[in-house]
mmCIF file of all heavy atoms in Angstrom:
data_model
loop_
_atom_site.group_PDB
_atom_site.id
_atom_site.type_symbol
_atom_site.label_atom_id
_atom_site.label_comp_id
_atom_site.label_asym_id
_atom_site.label_seq_id
_atom_site.Cartn_x
_atom_site.Cartn_y
_atom_site.Cartn_z
ATOM 1 N N LEU H 195 155.604 31.957 67.466
ATOM 2 C CA LEU H 195 156.300 33.221 67.201
ATOM 3 C C LEU H 195 155.566 34.374 67.861
ATOM 4 O O LEU H 195 156.158 35.260 68.440
ATOM 5 C CB LEU H 195 156.377 33.452 65.691
ATOM 6 C CG LEU H 195 157.089 34.724 65.248
ATOM 7 C CD1 LEU H 195 158.585 34.636 65.525
ATOM 8 C CD2 LEU H 195 156.853 34.998 63.767
ATOM 9 N N THR H 196 154.266 34.357 67.733
ATOM 10 C CA THR H 196 153.468 35.451 68.296
ATOM 11 C C THR H 196 152.036 35.004 68.548
ATOM 12 O O THR H 196 151.546 34.053 67.925
ATOM 13 C CB THR H 196 153.473 36.678 67.356
ATOM 14 O OG1 THR H 196 152.630 37.692 67.916
ATOM 15 C CG2 THR H 196 152.965 36.333 65.973
ATOM 16 N N ASP H 197 151.389 35.719 69.439
ATOM 17 C CA ASP H 197 149.957 35.526 69.681
ATOM 18 C C ASP H 197 149.188 36.631 68.955
ATOM 19 O O ASP H 197 148.027 36.869 69.247
ATOM 20 C CB ASP H 197 149.666 35.613 71.186
ATOM 21 C CG ASP H 197 150.026 36.979 71.745
ATOM 22 O OD1 ASP H 197 151.068 37.541 71.354
ATOM 23 O OD2 ASP H 197 149.260 37.513 72.571
ATOM 24 N N SER H 198 149.854 37.330 68.055
ATOM 25 C CA SER H 198 149.273 38.516 67.436
ATOM 26 C C SER H 198 148.649 38.197 66.087
ATOM 27 O O SER H 198 149.349 37.906 65.113
ATOM 28 C CB SER H 198 150.370 39.565 67.245
ATOM 29 O OG SER H 198 149.824 40.729 66.683
ATOM 30 N N GLN H 245 146.447 48.262 62.478
ATOM 31 C CA GLN H 245 146.949 47.471 63.605
ATOM 32 C C GLN H 245 147.515 48.414 64.650
ATOM 33 O O GLN H 245 147.426 49.633 64.501
ATOM 34 C CB GLN H 245 147.927 46.386 63.160
ATOM 35 C CG GLN H 245 149.179 46.827 62.454
ATOM 36 C CD GLN H 245 149.998 45.613 62.002
ATOM 37 O OE1 GLN H 245 149.788 45.115 60.910
ATOM 38 N NE2 GLN H 245 150.922 45.147 62.828
ATOM 39 N N GLY H 246 148.088 47.850 65.708
ATOM 40 C CA GLY H 246 148.508 48.670 66.841
ATOM 41 C C GLY H 246 149.548 49.717 66.483
ATOM 42 O O GLY H 246 149.471 50.878 66.907
ATOM 43 N N ARG H 247 150.534 49.307 65.684
ATOM 44 C CA ARG H 247 151.636 50.240 65.401
ATOM 45 C C ARG H 247 151.197 51.420 64.550
ATOM 46 O O ARG H 247 151.869 52.442 64.527
ATOM 47 C CB ARG H 247 152.814 49.487 64.781
ATOM 48 C CG ARG H 247 152.641 49.032 63.384
ATOM 49 C CD ARG H 247 153.642 47.961 63.040
ATOM 50 N NE ARG H 247 153.416 46.741 63.816
ATOM 51 C CZ ARG H 247 154.166 45.650 63.727
ATOM 52 N NH1 ARG H 247 155.211 45.634 62.942
ATOM 53 N NH2 ARG H 247 153.891 44.579 64.432
ATOM 54 N N ALA H 248 150.093 51.272 63.834
ATOM 55 C CA ALA H 248 149.578 52.409 63.063
ATOM 56 C C ALA H 248 149.084 53.477 64.030
ATOM 57 O O ALA H 248 149.305 54.674 63.825
ATOM 58 C CB ALA H 248 148.453 51.947 62.143
ATOM 59 N N GLU H 250 150.280 53.841 67.027
ATOM 60 C CA GLU H 250 151.515 54.384 67.626
ATOM 61 C C GLU H 250 152.152 55.411 66.691
ATOM 62 O O GLU H 250 152.630 56.462 67.135
ATOM 63 C CB GLU H 250 152.538 53.264 67.854
ATOM 64 C CG GLU H 250 152.126 52.250 68.898
ATOM 65 C CD GLU H 250 152.917 50.947 68.789
ATOM 66 O OE1 GLU H 250 153.849 50.852 67.956
ATOM 67 O OE2 GLU H 250 152.601 50.014 69.547
ATOM 68 N N PHE H 270 156.665 48.437 74.152
ATOM 69 C CA PHE H 270 156.880 47.340 73.207
ATOM 70 C C PHE H 270 157.810 47.838 72.104
ATOM 71 O O PHE H 270 157.976 49.039 71.919
ATOM 72 C CB PHE H 270 155.542 46.857 72.632
ATOM 73 C CG PHE H 270 155.724 45.696 71.693
ATOM 74 C CD1 PHE H 270 156.220 44.488 72.176
ATOM 75 C CD2 PHE H 270 155.452 45.810 70.340
ATOM 76 C CE1 PHE H 270 156.426 43.423 71.312
ATOM 77 C CE2 PHE H 270 155.656 44.740 69.473
ATOM 78 C CZ PHE H 270 156.138 43.544 69.960
ATOM 79 N N THR H 272 157.700 48.082 68.831
ATOM 80 C CA THR H 272 157.211 48.981 67.782
ATOM 81 C C THR H 272 156.896 50.374 68.352
ATOM 82 O O THR H 272 157.069 51.383 67.673
ATOM 83 C CB THR H 272 155.930 48.428 67.110
ATOM 84 O OG1 THR H 272 154.936 48.207 68.107
ATOM 85 C CG2 THR H 272 156.203 47.131 66.369
ATOM 86 N N THR H 273 156.445 50.402 69.608
ATOM 87 C CA THR H 273 156.160 51.691 70.258
ATOM 88 C C THR H 273 157.474 52.454 70.409
ATOM 89 O O THR H 273 157.575 53.644 70.081
ATOM 90 C CB THR H 273 155.544 51.469 71.657
ATOM 91 O OG1 THR H 273 154.717 50.320 71.636
ATOM 92 C CG2 THR H 273 154.760 52.671 72.110
ATOM 93 N N THR H 328 152.002 49.848 79.593
ATOM 94 C CA THR H 328 151.661 48.724 78.718
ATOM 95 C C THR H 328 151.050 47.606 79.551
ATOM 96 O O THR H 328 151.663 47.156 80.516
ATOM 97 C CB THR H 328 152.927 48.193 78.008
ATOM 98 O OG1 THR H 328 153.646 49.283 77.449
ATOM 99 C CG2 THR H 328 152.577 47.212 76.912
ATOM 100 N N THR H 330 149.158 43.778 79.274
ATOM 101 C CA THR H 330 150.212 43.363 80.159
ATOM 102 C C THR H 330 151.561 43.795 79.573
ATOM 103 O O THR H 330 151.632 44.169 78.408
ATOM 104 C CB THR H 330 150.220 41.820 80.317
ATOM 105 O OG1 THR H 330 150.377 41.245 79.009
ATOM 106 C CG2 THR H 330 148.925 41.306 80.897
ATOM 107 N N ASN H 332 154.363 43.142 77.815
ATOM 108 C CA ASN H 332 154.870 42.133 76.883
ATOM 109 C C ASN H 332 156.387 42.021 76.939
ATOM 110 O O ASN H 332 156.935 40.927 77.083
ATOM 111 C CB ASN H 332 154.406 42.505 75.465
ATOM 112 C CG ASN H 332 154.770 41.462 74.430
ATOM 113 O OD1 ASN H 332 155.170 40.352 74.759
ATOM 114 N ND2 ASN H 332 154.622 41.805 73.169
ATOM 115 N N ASP H 361 148.730 51.364 76.550
ATOM 116 C CA ASP H 361 148.908 50.407 75.461
ATOM 117 C C ASP H 361 148.130 49.164 75.887
ATOM 118 O O ASP H 361 148.554 48.408 76.758
ATOM 119 C CB ASP H 361 150.388 50.086 75.249
ATOM 120 C CG ASP H 361 150.602 49.021 74.161
ATOM 121 O OD1 ASP H 361 149.646 48.273 73.865
ATOM 122 O OD2 ASP H 361 151.718 48.939 73.623
ATOM 123 N N ALA H 363 147.069 46.391 74.305
ATOM 124 C CA ALA H 363 147.086 45.189 73.456
ATOM 125 C C ALA H 363 146.502 43.976 74.189
ATOM 126 O O ALA H 363 145.692 43.246 73.644
ATOM 127 C CB ALA H 363 148.506 44.900 72.986
ATOM 128 N N ARG H 364 146.911 43.767 75.443
ATOM 129 C CA ARG H 364 146.452 42.576 76.177
ATOM 130 C C ARG H 364 145.714 42.976 77.459
ATOM 131 O O ARG H 364 145.919 42.402 78.518
ATOM 132 C CB ARG H 364 147.635 41.656 76.448
ATOM 133 C CG ARG H 364 148.291 41.164 75.149
ATOM 134 C CD ARG H 364 149.460 40.247 75.366
ATOM 135 N NE ARG H 364 150.078 39.868 74.098
ATOM 136 C CZ ARG H 364 150.954 40.619 73.427
ATOM 137 N NH1 ARG H 364 151.337 41.789 73.906
ATOM 138 N NH2 ARG H 364 151.455 40.212 72.275
ATOM 139 N N SER H 401 146.390 47.097 69.791
ATOM 140 C CA SER H 401 146.473 46.147 68.700
ATOM 141 C C SER H 401 145.334 45.158 68.924
ATOM 142 O O SER H 401 145.370 44.375 69.871
ATOM 143 C CB SER H 401 147.813 45.423 68.742
ATOM 144 O OG SER H 401 147.763 44.309 67.884
ATOM 145 N N LYS H 403 144.726 42.643 67.414
ATOM 146 C CA LYS H 403 145.166 41.301 67.029
ATOM 147 C C LYS H 403 145.424 40.398 68.228
ATOM 148 O O LYS H 403 145.701 39.221 68.069
ATOM 149 C CB LYS H 403 146.438 41.412 66.186
ATOM 150 C CG LYS H 403 146.226 42.246 64.917
ATOM 151 C CD LYS H 403 147.527 42.577 64.225
ATOM 152 C CE LYS H 403 148.108 41.365 63.534
ATOM 153 N NZ LYS H 403 149.265 41.742 62.689
ATOM 154 N N LYS H 404 145.377 40.983 69.398
ATOM 155 C CA LYS H 404 145.572 40.174 70.608
ATOM 156 C C LYS H 404 144.210 39.948 71.271
ATOM 157 O O LYS H 404 143.490 39.039 70.900
ATOM 158 C CB LYS H 404 146.547 40.879 71.570
ATOM 159 C CG LYS H 404 148.012 40.783 71.141
ATOM 160 C CD LYS H 404 148.374 41.817 70.120
ATOM 161 C CE LYS H 404 149.862 41.939 69.931
ATOM 162 N NZ LYS H 404 150.197 42.824 68.817
ATOM 163 N N GLY H 411 143.796 44.449 62.829
ATOM 164 C CA GLY H 411 143.012 45.575 63.338
ATOM 165 C C GLY H 411 143.651 46.250 64.538
ATOM 166 O O GLY H 411 144.509 45.676 65.223
ATOM 167 N N ARG H 552 160.595 33.884 73.809
ATOM 168 C CA ARG H 552 159.165 33.903 74.088
ATOM 169 C C ARG H 552 158.446 32.803 73.326
ATOM 170 O O ARG H 552 158.627 32.665 72.115
ATOM 171 C CB ARG H 552 158.585 35.260 73.685
ATOM 172 C CG ARG H 552 157.116 35.411 74.074
ATOM 173 C CD ARG H 552 156.548 36.727 73.608
ATOM 174 N NE ARG H 552 156.361 36.741 72.164
ATOM 175 C CZ ARG H 552 155.716 37.704 71.505
ATOM 176 N NH1 ARG H 552 155.238 38.740 72.175
ATOM 177 N NH2 ARG H 552 155.584 37.658 70.204
HETATM 178 N N1 LIG F 71 151.901 46.977 71.886
HETATM 179 C C1 LIG F 71 152.165 45.754 72.379
HETATM 180 C C2 LIG F 71 152.231 45.548 73.854
HETATM 181 C C3 LIG F 71 152.379 44.694 71.502
HETATM 182 O O1 LIG F 71 152.649 43.495 71.997
HETATM 183 C C4 LIG F 71 152.294 44.927 70.110
HETATM 184 C C5 LIG F 71 152.513 43.847 69.160
HETATM 185 C C6 LIG F 71 152.008 46.215 69.652
HETATM 186 C C7 LIG F 71 151.813 47.216 70.579
HETATM 187 C C8 LIG F 71 151.915 46.544 68.193
HETATM 188 O O2 LIG F 71 150.765 46.008 67.638
HETATM 189 O O3 LIG F 71 151.530 44.302 65.975
HETATM 190 O O4 LIG F 71 149.220 45.246 65.909
HETATM 191 O O5 LIG F 71 151.145 46.638 65.259
HETATM 192 N N2 LIG F 71 152.990 42.759 69.474
HETATM 193 C C9 LIG F 71 153.186 41.604 68.624
HETATM 194 C C10 LIG F 71 153.905 40.552 69.405
HETATM 195 C C11 LIG F 71 153.807 41.884 67.308
HETATM 196 O O6 LIG F 71 154.316 39.548 68.791
HETATM 197 O O7 LIG F 71 154.036 40.676 70.615
HETATM 198 P P1 LIG F 71 150.665 45.537 66.107
#
Side-chain angles (χ1 to χ4, degrees):
L195 181 70
T196 177
D197 62 320
S198 182
Q245 60 184 89
R247 72 198 66 181
E250 293 162 4
F270 182 64
T272 57
T273 325
T328 312
T330 58
N332 185 12
D361 177 339
R364 299 180 183 82
S401 167
K403 301 169 73 171
K404 284 83 167 173
R552 186 183 72 171

